[in-house]
């Protein structure tokens, strides 16, 4: 036993470190606090399969994540913790790959820094448990990237199969994941042209297989974008600086991004020197490593470029959170470069980078945790004051997300209507209404209700449903 501990002490320490960082994320699954898009996911998962596919085809995201939520919740129940747990499992998959395969293949430092970024950065405290597809996108994109490395190194048929499967899964998870893995394929095709016969046939088969697997949904994608191009909800386009900052979101995000770029330059220079001076038979691995790293950066910067350019040419179709799945590549490469730096003191350098990550993330991550805890408690209080709502009642709201999904989730079976002061419906004497409105518009709506001869009983001021602060009034004759 003592011998085993000595031999595997670093792996054991890494596992303990990973478990410590995973616990805060796990504890965050036990709430019933969802915003509009999350409620949309949940409502989709409750549909039958045919209705879910029909609704998803009309949405601007592919269906795989919704299918996973439906399958999981059908087994474990449609409950708050179960919805969160689905996304948490994808994050857990990234951690599991880090402490096993990545640690063995790329070293302790690579795994250590990847786990740190995937667990400490502020954005991870959102997307590791959010009932959306971003954590699964990160898992599939990372898996694709790792199998791409195996293809370059070992050129085995099974690696092409797993690479193709991971890429198709990513493409069916989010449309911008399709963009990311397209850059992997672009790189692989160019690389196979350079290598010719050695890689050509298997790359061709993999590319055709991926296209065939995605072709049924490609027509849906084309039809959906054509239909929504004129009325898509986005109204802004992120800048390159905002994209760079998002990769390591936090106070020192640009510092960490700068460290990534600087370490990449040093990595390439070190490998080129080795290739020039080292024995010819030992330089193939270093050459492939440079190409592989280039593929990773191609996916990162290429996704930014495509997103911004399409948004400028057509209309806004890109926001920074769509980058989240490819962020995991940047996190991995940061650790990989430091692990492979041809200098002494790499462990000290890794520790310093961890300090920068912690300083950058600490306040932002704690604020997300604190805010979600407070708002979940406020949500409970808000829902408690409407516990006497009946199926025959009606909800009137000026919040679009409330009318879109949140009413159906939190008040299933109760009819609801989006209203404005200028377009307020006639009130029926034998119907009980619930006015769920933004606090700043409360006085205007109350005045309308009172002028119609109805009473407005205030149930809560500045409550919360989803991400919207609300005042709630029970209206009756």
């Amino acid at each position: 036993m003592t011998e085993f501990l000595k031999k595997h002490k670093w792996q054991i320490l890494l596992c303990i470190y990973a478990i410590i960082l995973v616990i805060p994320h796990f504890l965050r699954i036990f709430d019933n606090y969802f915003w509009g898009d999350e409620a949309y996911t949940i409502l989709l998962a409750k549909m039958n399969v045919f209705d879910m596919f029909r609704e998803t085809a009309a949405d601007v995201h592919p269906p795989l994540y919704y299918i996973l939520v439906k399958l999981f919740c059908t087994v474990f129940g449609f409950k708050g913790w179960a919805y969160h747990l689905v996304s948490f499992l994808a994050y857990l998959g990234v951690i599991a790959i880090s402490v096993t395969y990545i640690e063995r293949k790329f070293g302790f430092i690579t795994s250590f820094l990847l786990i740190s970024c995937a667990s400490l950065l502020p954005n991870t405290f959102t997307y590791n448990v959010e009932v959306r597809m971003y954590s699964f996108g990160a898992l599939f994109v990372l898996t694709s990237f790792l199998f791409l490395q195996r293809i370059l190194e070992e050129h085995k048929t099974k690696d092409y199969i797993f690479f193709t499967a991971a890429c198709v899964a990513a493409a069916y998870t989010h449309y911008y994941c399709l963009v990311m893995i397209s850059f992997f394929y672009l790189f692989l095709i160019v690389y196979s042209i350079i290598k010719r016969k050695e890689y050509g046939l298997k790359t061709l088969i993999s590319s055709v297989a991926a296209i065939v697997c995605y072709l049924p949904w490609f027509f849906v994608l084309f039809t959906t974008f054509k239909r929504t191009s004129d009325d898509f909800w986005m109204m802004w386009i992120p800048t390159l600086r905002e994209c760079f900052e998002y990769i390591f979101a936090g106070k020192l995000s640009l510092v960490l991004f700068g460290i990534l770029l600087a370490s990449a330059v040093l990595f390439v220079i070190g490998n080129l020197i080795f290739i020039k001076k080292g024995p010819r038979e030992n330089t193939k691995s270093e050459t492939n490593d440079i190409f592989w790293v280039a593929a990773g950066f191609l996916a990162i910067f290429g996704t930014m470029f495509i997103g911004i350019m399409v948004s400028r040419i057509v209309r806004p179709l890109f926001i920074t959170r769509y980058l989240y799945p490819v962020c995991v590549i940047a996190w991995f490469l940061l650790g990989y470069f430091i692990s492979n730096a041809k200098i002494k003191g790499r462990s000290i350098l890794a520790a310093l980078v961890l300090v920068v990550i912690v300083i950058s993330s600490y306040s932002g991550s704690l604020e997300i945790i604190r805010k979600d805890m407070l708002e979940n408690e406020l949500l409970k209080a808000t829902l408690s004051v409407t516990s006497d709502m009946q199926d025959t009642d009606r909800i009137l709201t000026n919040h679009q997300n409330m009318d879109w999904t949140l009413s159906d989730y939190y008040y299933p079976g109760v009819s609801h209507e989006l209203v404005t002061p200028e377009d307020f419906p006639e009130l029926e004497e034998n119907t009980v209404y619930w006015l769920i409105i933004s606090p700043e518009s409360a006085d205007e709506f109350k005045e309308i209700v009172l002028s119609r001869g109805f009473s407005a009983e205030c149930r809560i001021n500045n409550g919360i449903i989803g991400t919207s602060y609300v005042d709630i009034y029970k209206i009756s004759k």
Side-chain angles (χ1 to χ4, degrees):
M1 186 64 177
T2 304
E3 186 64 29
F4 175 84
L5 292 175
K6 286 183 179 180
K7 185 177 180 181
H8 299 282
K9 64 179 180 180
W10 290 111
Q11 291 89 340
I12 294 171
L13 288 173
L14 187 66
C15 288
I16 293 172
Y17 177 69
I19 291 170
I20 292 171
L21 294 189
V22 163
I23 289 174
H25 294 274
F26 176 71
L27 294 177
R28 283 170 48 75
I29 73 172
F30 299 102
D31 66 42
N32 193 39
Y33 174 52
F34 304 105
W35 68 295
D37 283 18
E38 290 180 290
Y40 177 73
T41 298
I42 294 166
L43 295 176
L44 276 179
K46 291 181 177 180
M47 295 179 180
N48 65 57
V49 175
F50 296 106
D51 288 342
M52 183 182 70
F53 270 96
R54 189 181 302 112
E55 178 66 27
T56 306
D59 187 33
V60 290
H61 294 299
L64 179 57
Y65 175 73
Y66 302 131
I67 295 171
L68 294 174
V69 175
K70 181 173 182 61
L71 291 175
F72 187 87
C73 292
T74 299
V75 175
F76 294 97
F78 290 84
K79 306 170 185 176
W81 64 264
Y83 304 134
H84 287 302
L85 185 59
V86 179
S87 296
F88 172 80
L89 290 176
Y91 157 65
L92 206 59
V94 171
I95 299 302
I97 292 172
S98 298
V99 299
T100 54
Y101 177 77
I102 290 176
E103 194 280 330
R104 291 196 304 269
K105 179 72 177 176
F106 302 103
F108 177 90
I109 291 176
T110 306
S111 177
F112 174 76
L113 288 179
L114 174 57
I115 292 169
S116 300
C117 288
S119 303
L120 295 174
L121 295 177
N123 283 343
T124 67
F125 279 91
T126 296
Y127 298 113
N128 284 345
V129 296
E130 187 177 74
V131 191
R132 298 298 285 164
M133 64 287 297
Y134 301 105
S135 63
F136 267 97
L139 174 63
F140 293 141
V141 169
L142 175 63
T143 306
S144 303
F145 188 58
L146 295 176
F147 277 113
L148 179 61
Q149 189 274 336
R150 291 181 64 88
I151 288 174
L152 299 183
E153 182 180 74
E154 301 184 17
H155 188 49
K156 292 183 178 179
T157 300
K158 66 176 183 179
D159 295 326
Y160 280 92
I161 294 173
F162 287 123
F163 172 73
T164 306
C167 286
V168 171
Y172 270 102
T173 301
H174 196 283
Y175 288 137
Y176 273 94
C177 288
L178 171 62
V179 175
M180 296 164 197
I181 61 97
S182 294
F183 283 110
F184 290 160
Y185 266 109
L186 175 63
F187 161 80
L188 190 58
I189 290 170
V190 172
Y191 189 80
S192 66
I193 292 173
I194 296 172
K195 295 294 182 178
R196 297 186 180 180
K197 293 183 180 179
E198 186 178 357
Y199 288 84
L201 180 60
K202 291 181 180 180
T203 297
L204 176 63
I205 294 173
S206 174
S207 303
V208 171
I211 292 171
V212 169
C213 288
Y214 199 75
L215 199 58
W217 200 259
F218 177 80
F219 294 110
V220 174
L221 180 156
F222 181 77
T223 304
T224 300
F225 278 179
K226 184 178 179 181
R227 184 181 64 253
T228 60
S229 61
D230 293 331
D231 60 355
F232 201 49
W233 58 270
M234 293 180 193
M235 300 302 294
W236 65 92
I237 303 172
T239 64
L240 267 178
R241 180 189 176 94
E242 289 171 337
C243 292
F244 295 158
E245 289 176 338
Y246 187 84
I247 298 296
F248 295 96
K251 284 200 254 182
L252 302 176
S253 57
L254 288 179
V255 173
L256 287 166
F257 195 76
I259 293 173
L260 171 67
L261 296 181
S263 59
V265 171
L266 293 176
F267 170 82
V268 172
I269 292 174
N271 277 26
L272 289 176
I273 292 174
F274 180 84
I275 291 169
K276 185 176 181 179
K277 294 184 177 181
R280 185 177 181 83
E281 63 273 11
N282 294 336
T283 60
K284 181 180 179 181
S285 175
E286 279 69 20
T287 304
N288 284 342
D289 288 346
I290 293 176
F291 281 124
W292 179 52
V293 164
F297 276 111
L298 183 64
I300 295 169
F301 289 105
T303 303
M304 295 178 189
F305 177 79
I306 292 294
I308 293 174
M309 290 305 299
V310 169
S311 295
R312 292 191 180 279
I313 294 171
V314 182
R315 63 155 295 126
L317 292 169
F318 176 65
I319 49 180
T320 51
R321 73 167 176 259
Y322 291 171
L323 286 172
Y324 187 80
V326 83
C327 289
V328 72
I329 303 299
W331 305 339
F332 170 87
L333 289 176
L334 177 65
Y336 177 75
F337 292 144
I338 293 175
S339 179
N340 287 274
K342 293 177 169 54
I343 59 172
K344 294 181 179 180
R346 286 175 295 181
S347 298
I348 296 174
L349 181 59
L352 291 175
V353 172
L354 175 63
V355 170
V356 177
I357 292 171
V358 171
I359 294 173
S360 179
S361 307
Y362 180 76
S363 59
S365 297
L366 284 184
E367 176 59 23
I368 290 174
I369 296 172
R370 186 194 68 83
K371 179 175 177 290
D372 284 358
M373 289 177 63
L374 291 175
E375 291 186 348
N376 185 54
E377 290 303 311
L378 183 55
L379 171 67
K380 292 178 183 178
T382 304
L383 295 178
S384 69
V385 304
T386 58
S387 60
D388 57 332
M389 186 182 294
Q390 304 296 316
D391 290 348
T392 54
D393 297 349
R394 289 183 64 190
I395 294 172
L396 305 177
T397 181
N398 66 341
H399 285 290
Q400 288 190 344
N401 278 346
M402 190 71 195
D403 182 59
W404 174 44
T405 58
L406 293 172
S407 290
D408 290 324
Y409 177 72
Y410 288 111
Y411 305 107
V414 181
S415 63
H416 48 87
E417 182 179 353
L418 189 65
V419 299
T420 64
E422 296 76 25
D423 186 24
F424 199 83
E426 291 296 327
L427 302 177
E428 300 174 2
E429 293 186 8
N430 59 348
T431 301
V432 175
Y433 296 89
W434 294 83
L435 194 58
I436 303 178
I437 52 177
S438 54
E440 61 270 15
S441 63
D443 289 340
E444 190 174 8
F445 278 104
K446 279 169 55 183
E447 185 177 337
I448 294 172
V449 169
L450 295 175
S451 70
R452 303 277 180 91
F454 284 74
S455 63
E457 176 194 350
C458 181
R459 288 297 183 90
I460 193 170
N461 291 122
N462 287 306
I464 195 168
I465 297 179
T467 54
S468 302
Y469 283 89
V470 296
D471 284 359
I472 300 180
Y473 295 86
K474 185 176 182 181
I475 301 173
S476 56
K477 186 67 177 177

